[in-house]
Amino acid sequence: RDLVLPEFAELPDDAVWRGLIAENTRQFSASRRHLERARTVIGTYPRAFQARVLLALARAALETNDLGTVQGLIEEARTLDDGTEHRGRLALLAARVAEAQGRHDEAIASYRVAEAEGAPESRAQARMRRIGLQLTRGSITADVAVRDLESLSFDWRGDALEPEIHLMVATIEFQRQNNRGGFTAARRAMMANPENANSRLTQDLARDRFIVLFADGEADEMPALEALALFYDFRELVPVGRRGDQMIRGLADRLIEVDLLDQAIELLAHQVDNRLEGAIRADVAATLAFVHLLNRDAEKALAAIRRTQIARLPGEIEGRRRLIEARAHEIGGVIMEPF
């Protein structure tokens, strides 16, 4: 807020600090704009600080896909500081340029230099990117990549890098059909920073996968108990609206198939009491009543039918409800063969 005061806003020195703040908050286009304006005064600062500013500008250029500018800035910054932390930042940027240009062996070697010599943040970024590149090249397995990334996520916590690590883990896990691992990574990303763009991207990835499993039917190929456990453990991914309601009713059907009647009743009762209206509510209430019958409770079956009575239901729904109501009266608590 101080840096945008009118008395500062036109000063090139103001642009130095605004550019560094923008780089730190990943606003790379703004960072590049400010730091390029600051080039006229950067030479008045200590050499080590000049190097820091040039590397911030190089990163902004890299993130805005100007690789040619990055290389020149790296060479210029190399002459200004020979400290270990500075060498780590240089190695990380050089590795990213090499990776973008397809020079993968050179990139991995530079990432390892950054891991060995950089400041903690540079080491963490280099390790994450080196793991991703090695996995892409096939020089490590997905198991090894996930293990190393999860280890890194425990070592490095609390800034924008952590959700990026979780995004990589989720992507790998979903690609190899490890749904639980992918959903767990997405949950960790949201716990780390729900406002971060990579956290939201990870959540979207997980929700799309959840829909494929439980709305599009892929989970039907899984063992029933495994599918149900996955649904219950990550039910925060159920979408709102009609599609989510359909997904929950499909889960209730799976619960009935494996004779988990109390759990099916809980799901269906929540739908009837809190989420549905009109004819669809009356139809789901009929299913709820039928499950009560299977669960040897004709009284609750009748209650489910009676509290959802409405006029002018479609004939098929009305007929089904009447049949279930008649059976509840008939059996008097004694379950007959399902009809």
Side-chain angles (χ1 to χ4, degrees):
R1 289 192 296 270
D2 290 339
L3 292 170
V4 297
L5 293 173
E7 56 265 40
F8 296 149
E10 298 304 317
L11 297 177
D13 295 272
D14 178 84
V16 174
W17 300 102
R18 291 178 71 180
L20 290 176
I21 290 169
E23 187 246 354
N24 191 55
T25 55
R26 305 178 69 85
Q27 302 174 64
F28 297 112
S29 294
S31 176
R32 187 174 184 183
R33 184 174 66 252
H34 292 309
L35 293 177
E36 285 178 343
R37 188 163 70 89
R39 292 294 302 265
T40 58
V41 295
I42 288 176
T44 65
Y45 289 86
R47 289 173 62 86
F49 186 79
Q50 292 180 49
R52 170 71 183 89
V53 173
L54 288 173
L55 289 184
L57 180 55
R59 185 187 180 198
L62 176 64
E63 299 290 354
T64 53
N65 298 312
D66 186 355
L67 297 181
T69 297
V70 177
Q71 194 61 52
L73 290 167
I74 289 174
E75 295 307 319
E76 187 177 351
R78 200 185 301 277
T79 66
L80 295 171
D81 189 354
D82 61 358
T84 299
E85 183 173 325
H86 179 67
R87 290 200 302 271
R89 287 198 184 102
L90 281 170
L92 176 60
L93 282 170
R96 293 190 60 188
V97 171
E99 181 178 356
Q101 294 176 337
R103 295 178 280 117
H104 293 161
D105 290 336
E106 182 181 336
I108 289 173
S110 292
Y111 281 136
R112 291 195 182 280
V113 171
E115 289 180 69
E117 297 189 354
E121 182 180 5
S122 294
R123 291 201 302 268
Q125 287 193 38
R127 183 177 170 191
M128 179 192 72
R129 294 182 180 281
R130 188 257 306 161
I131 292 168
L133 180 54
Q134 287 182 312
L135 178 63
T136 299
R137 298 185 72 202
S139 56
I140 61 173
T141 65
D143 283 340
V144 170
V146 168
R147 182 199 66 200
D148 289 352
L149 287 169
E150 288 183 339
S151 173
L152 176 59
S153 74
F154 285 106
D155 292 341
W156 187 263
R157 304 175 73 88
D159 70 353
L161 184 63
E162 185 183 355
E164 189 172 358
I165 296 168
H166 293 312
L167 173 59
M168 286 185 67
V169 172
T171 301
I172 295 167
E173 295 287 41
F174 288 135
Q175 285 175 346
R176 63 178 184 158
Q177 302 295 305
N178 182 4
N179 296 300
R180 181 171 291 277
F183 293 142
T184 299
R187 180 180 285 168
R188 288 173 178 166
M190 292 301 290
M191 290 173 63
N193 187 345
E195 301 303 319
N196 179 270
N198 282 321
S199 294
R200 294 194 296 270
L201 184 59
T202 308
Q203 187 76 355
D204 291 343
L205 188 68
R207 185 166 286 114
D208 289 345
R209 182 63 187 151
F210 199 83
I211 288 171
V212 168
L213 284 170
F214 294 104
D216 297 344
E218 191 171 306
D220 294 345
E221 305 302 317
M222 299 169 60
L225 291 179
E226 179 184 336
L228 296 173
L230 196 65
F231 187 99
Y232 268 100
D233 288 346
F234 299 99
R235 55 188 177 273
E236 70 270 16
L237 295 171
V238 175
V240 298
R242 181 177 299 177
R243 196 167 197 186
D245 291 334
Q246 291 172 340
M247 191 182 296
I248 291 171
R249 293 196 294 276
L251 175 65
D253 291 340
R254 298 294 300 275
L255 288 166
I256 294 167
E257 288 175 8
V258 294
D259 207 32
L260 294 173
L261 302 181
D262 288 337
Q263 291 87 342
I265 287 169
E266 180 184 354
L267 280 182
L268 294 169
H270 180 76
Q271 293 272 291
V272 169
D273 295 337
N274 299 290
R275 294 180 64 97
L276 302 176
E277 296 179 351
I280 186 63
R281 178 171 182 257
D283 192 29
V284 174
T287 302
L288 172 61
F290 179 65
V291 181
H292 277 308
L293 289 181
L294 294 177
N295 208 34
R296 301 179 181 277
D297 199 330
E299 184 177 339
K300 288 184 178 179
L302 288 170
I305 293 293
R306 288 168 178 168
R307 75 174 185 268
T308 55
Q309 296 277 17
I310 60 172
R312 294 187 295 276
L313 281 171
E316 182 180 351
I317 295 175
E318 182 64 33
R320 181 167 173 252
R321 285 168 58 86
R322 287 183 180 278
L323 186 59
I324 291 171
E325 184 178 10
R327 178 60 62 88
H329 281 297
E330 176 187 5
I331 63 178
V334 179
I335 300 300
M336 300 173 65
E337 289 299 315
F339 46 82

CSV table of all heavy atoms in Angstrom, one decimal, residues 40 63 81 96 104 107 148 213 238 262-263 272 287 305 320:
chain,number,residue,atom,x,y,z
A,40,THR,N,17.0,1.3,-14.9
A,40,THR,CA,17.8,2.5,-14.9
A,40,THR,C,18.4,2.8,-13.6
A,40,THR,O,19.4,3.6,-13.6
A,40,THR,CB,16.9,3.7,-15.3
A,40,THR,OG1,15.8,3.8,-14.4
A,40,THR,CG2,16.3,3.5,-16.7
A,63,GLU,N,8.5,-17.1,-16.8
A,63,GLU,CA,7.1,-17.4,-16.6
A,63,GLU,C,6.2,-16.8,-17.7
A,63,GLU,O,5.0,-17.2,-17.8
A,63,GLU,CB,6.6,-17.0,-15.2
A,63,GLU,CG,7.4,-17.6,-14.0
A,63,GLU,CD,7.0,-19.1,-13.9
A,63,GLU,OE1,6.2,-19.6,-14.6
A,63,GLU,OE2,7.7,-19.7,-13.0
A,81,ASP,N,27.4,-11.8,-8.4
A,81,ASP,CA,27.4,-12.5,-7.1
A,81,ASP,C,27.9,-13.9,-7.3
A,81,ASP,O,27.4,-14.6,-8.2
A,81,ASP,CB,26.0,-12.4,-6.5
A,81,ASP,CG,25.9,-12.9,-5.1
A,81,ASP,OD1,26.9,-13.4,-4.6
A,81,ASP,OD2,24.8,-12.8,-4.5
A,96,ARG,N,15.5,-24.7,-15.7
A,96,ARG,CA,14.2,-24.5,-16.3
A,96,ARG,C,14.2,-24.1,-17.8
A,96,ARG,O,13.4,-24.6,-18.6
A,96,ARG,CB,13.4,-23.5,-15.5
A,96,ARG,CG,13.0,-24.0,-14.1
A,96,ARG,CD,12.0,-23.1,-13.4
A,96,ARG,NE,10.8,-23.0,-14.2
A,96,ARG,CZ,9.8,-22.2,-13.9
A,96,ARG,NH1,9.9,-21.3,-12.9
A,96,ARG,NH2,8.7,-22.2,-14.6
A,104,HIS,N,17.3,-32.1,-21.7
A,104,HIS,CA,16.8,-32.7,-20.4
A,104,HIS,C,18.0,-33.2,-19.5
A,104,HIS,O,17.9,-33.0,-18.3
A,104,HIS,CB,15.9,-33.8,-20.7
A,104,HIS,CG,14.6,-33.4,-21.3
A,104,HIS,ND1,13.7,-34.2,-22.0
A,104,HIS,CD2,14.0,-32.2,-21.3
A,104,HIS,CE1,12.7,-33.5,-22.4
A,104,HIS,NE2,12.8,-32.3,-22.0
A,107,ALA,N,19.3,-30.1,-18.0
A,107,ALA,CA,18.4,-29.6,-17.0
A,107,ALA,C,18.5,-30.4,-15.7
A,107,ALA,O,18.5,-29.8,-14.6
A,107,ALA,CB,16.9,-29.7,-17.6
A,148,ASP,N,8.8,-39.6,-3.4
A,148,ASP,CA,9.7,-38.5,-3.3
A,148,ASP,C,9.0,-37.2,-3.2
A,148,ASP,O,9.4,-36.3,-2.4
A,148,ASP,CB,10.7,-38.4,-4.4
A,148,ASP,CG,11.8,-39.6,-4.4
A,148,ASP,OD1,11.8,-40.3,-3.3
A,148,ASP,OD2,12.5,-39.7,-5.3
A,213,LEU,N,-16.1,-41.5,-11.8
A,213,LEU,CA,-16.3,-42.8,-11.0
A,213,LEU,C,-17.8,-43.0,-10.7
A,213,LEU,O,-18.3,-44.1,-10.9
A,213,LEU,CB,-15.5,-42.7,-9.7
A,213,LEU,CG,-14.0,-42.9,-9.9
A,213,LEU,CD1,-13.2,-42.6,-8.6
A,213,LEU,CD2,-13.6,-44.3,-10.3
A,238,VAL,N,-18.8,-34.6,-3.8
A,238,VAL,CA,-20.1,-34.8,-4.5
A,238,VAL,C,-20.5,-33.4,-5.0
A,238,VAL,O,-20.6,-32.4,-4.3
A,238,VAL,CB,-21.1,-35.3,-3.5
A,238,VAL,CG1,-22.5,-35.4,-4.2
A,238,VAL,CG2,-20.7,-36.7,-3.1
A,262,ASP,N,-28.9,-50.0,6.5
A,262,ASP,CA,-28.9,-48.8,7.4
A,262,ASP,C,-28.2,-47.6,6.7
A,262,ASP,O,-28.7,-46.5,6.8
A,262,ASP,CB,-28.2,-49.1,8.7
A,262,ASP,CG,-29.1,-50.0,9.6
A,262,ASP,OD1,-30.3,-50.1,9.4
A,262,ASP,OD2,-28.5,-50.7,10.5
A,263,GLN,N,-27.1,-47.9,6.0
A,263,GLN,CA,-26.4,-46.8,5.3
A,263,GLN,C,-27.2,-46.3,4.2
A,263,GLN,O,-27.3,-45.1,3.9
A,263,GLN,CB,-25.0,-47.3,4.9
A,263,GLN,CG,-24.0,-47.5,6.0
A,263,GLN,CD,-24.2,-48.9,6.6
A,263,GLN,OE1,-25.2,-49.6,6.4
A,263,GLN,NE2,-23.1,-49.4,7.3
A,272,VAL,N,-34.6,-37.3,0.8
A,272,VAL,CA,-36.0,-37.0,0.9
A,272,VAL,C,-36.3,-35.8,1.8
A,272,VAL,O,-37.2,-35.0,1.5
A,272,VAL,CB,-36.8,-38.3,1.4
A,272,VAL,CG1,-38.2,-37.9,1.8
A,272,VAL,CG2,-36.7,-39.4,0.3
A,287,THR,N,-38.4,-45.7,-2.9
A,287,THR,CA,-37.2,-46.5,-2.7
A,287,THR,C,-36.9,-46.6,-1.2
A,287,THR,O,-36.5,-47.7,-0.7
A,287,THR,CB,-36.0,-45.9,-3.5
A,287,THR,OG1,-36.4,-45.8,-4.9
A,287,THR,CG2,-34.8,-46.8,-3.3
A,305,ILE,N,-43.8,-43.2,3.0
A,305,ILE,CA,-44.8,-43.0,1.9
A,305,ILE,C,-45.8,-41.9,2.3
A,305,ILE,O,-46.0,-41.0,1.5
A,305,ILE,CB,-45.6,-44.3,1.6
A,305,ILE,CG1,-44.7,-45.4,1.0
A,305,ILE,CG2,-46.8,-44.0,0.7
A,305,ILE,CD1,-44.2,-45.1,-0.3
A,320,ARG,N,-46.1,-47.6,-8.1
A,320,ARG,CA,-45.0,-48.1,-7.3
A,320,ARG,C,-45.2,-47.8,-5.8
A,320,ARG,O,-45.0,-48.7,-5.0
A,320,ARG,CB,-43.6,-47.6,-7.8
A,320,ARG,CG,-42.4,-48.1,-7.1
A,320,ARG,CD,-41.2,-47.8,-7.8
A,320,ARG,NE,-40.0,-48.1,-7.1
A,320,ARG,CZ,-39.2,-47.2,-6.5
A,320,ARG,NH1,-39.4,-45.9,-6.6
A,320,ARG,NH2,-38.1,-47.6,-5.9
